[in-house]
Amino acid sequence: AQTVTQSQPEMSVQEAETVTLSCTYDTSESDYYLFWYKQPPSRQMILVIRQEAYKQQNATENRFSVNFQKAAKSFSLKISDSQLGDAAMYFCAYRSADPRRSNYKLTFGKGTLLTVNP
Amino acid sequence: EPEVTQTPSHQVTQMGQEVILRCVPISNHLYFYWYRQILGQKVEFLVSFYNNEISEKSEIFDDQFSVERPDGSNFTLKIRSTKLEDSAMYFCASSPYREYTEAFFGQGTRLTVV
C-alpha cells in the first residue's frame, strides 16, 4: 500500500518570503501522480499543483513549484513571494497511474499548516 | 465553471440516527468518491463508485455506510446509525473518466454527532 508522509505539522513564513513544505511517499509503482492540495479555513480542497512521475521536469504554477526527486521518493512544494492568502493547510497526495486499477483514489498525508506572517 | 456541490454544509445529528449526505457531481463525470476528514487529521478515502456500483471501499466503509446514485445527478452517502466517531468533514469528489488525473472536490459537509 502507498503511504504519504508530511513531517512538518506546522510551518510559518513571512509575507513575501519563500517557504518549502516537505513530503515523502512510499510506493512500489513506477507510474503515478503526486499532488499538493490547499485547504483554507473554508475547508474546500483546492488543487495547487500536480506532477506526473514519468516527467523529469518539475511542475510549476506561478508562485508554486515542486522539487520532485523520484529516486528519493520526495515531493516538496516551494511557495515563492508568500502572500497572506496562502495561509492554509497543505496536503500532499498520491495517485496511482496503473491502468489495471479500477479507480484512482487519492492517498493523503497528514498535512502541514502554513501560517503567513505580515 | 462546473463544480461539485454538497448539501448540507453542516449537519448535526444525534447518535444512533441515520444521516444522508448529498452530492451533485459535475454533470459529465462518471467516477465518484467519498472521503472523510476527522478534525485535525488527514483526509481518508472511503469509497469509489462507477457504473452504479462500488468499485473500491476502505476498511472504514463498513456495513453502517452505503452509497447510492438515486437519479442521474445526485450521489449520496448514508450512515445508518451514527456514532460519535463519525463526526468529521465528508468530501465528495468526481472525475470525468477513470484515467483523468484530477479529482474535483466539493466544499464538504461537516457532520457533528452528539
Side-chain angles (χ1 to χ4, degrees), chain A residues 13-70:
Chain A
V13 63
Q14 289 295 124
E15 196 174 2
E17 298 289 302
T18 295
V19 65
T20 299
L21 308 184
S22 301
C23 173
T24 59
Y25 58 95
D26 190 27
T27 183
S28 58
E29 298 181 323
S30 60
D31 201 11
Y32 49 87
Y33 297 93
L34 296 165
F35 306 85
W36 279 97
Y37 278 88
K38 172 184 177 181
Q39 187 182 44
S42 65
R43 306 300 294 273
Q44 176 86 42
M45 294 289 285
I46 302 166
L47 178 65
V48 175
I49 198 166
R50 64 169 167 260
Q51 174 79 41
E52 293 87 343
Y54 65 85
K55 289 186 177 179
Q56 290 189 328
Q57 187 173 9
N58 289 320
T60 299
E61 287 286 344
N62 301 313
R63 298 183 294 108
F64 298 87
S65 61
V66 299
N67 183 4
F68 173 50
Q69 302 288 329
K70 190 172 185 180

Side-chain angles (χ1 to χ4, degrees), chain A residues 33 35 37 39 42-45 47 50 91 95 98-99 101-106 108-110, chain B residues 31 33 35 37 39 41-43 45 48 55-56 89 91 98-103 105-107 110:
Chain A
Y33 297 93
F35 306 85
Y37 278 88
Q39 187 182 44
S42 65
R43 306 300 294 273
Q44 176 86 42
M45 294 289 285
L47 178 65
R50 64 169 167 260
F91 291 98
R95 202 211 84 169
D98 185 344
R101 294 188 66 85
S102 61
N103 73 87
Y104 293 114
K105 68 180 182 184
L106 291 164
F108 288 87
K110 288 188 175 181
Chain B
Y31 285 82
Y33 304 83
Y35 290 84
Q37 184 186 27
L39 186 63
Q41 299 189 25
K42 67 178 177 180
V43 179
F45 168 76
S48 59
S55 53
E56 186 176 350
M89 196 76 165
F91 292 101
R98 185 174 62 96
E99 297 83 1
Y100 195 82
T101 310
E102 182 179 347
F105 281 81
Q107 79 278 22
R110 180 177 298 179

Side-chain angles (χ1 to χ4, degrees), chain A residues 105, chain B residues 34-36 44-48 54-63 65:
Chain A
K105 68 180 182 184
Chain B
W34 283 102
Y35 290 84
R36 181 181 81 175
E44 300 173 292
F45 168 76
L46 287 178
V47 66
S48 59
I54 291 173
S55 53
E56 186 176 350
K57 59 183 181 180
S58 71
E59 60 275 9
I60 303 169
F61 195 88
D62 61 24
D63 292 343
F65 292 89

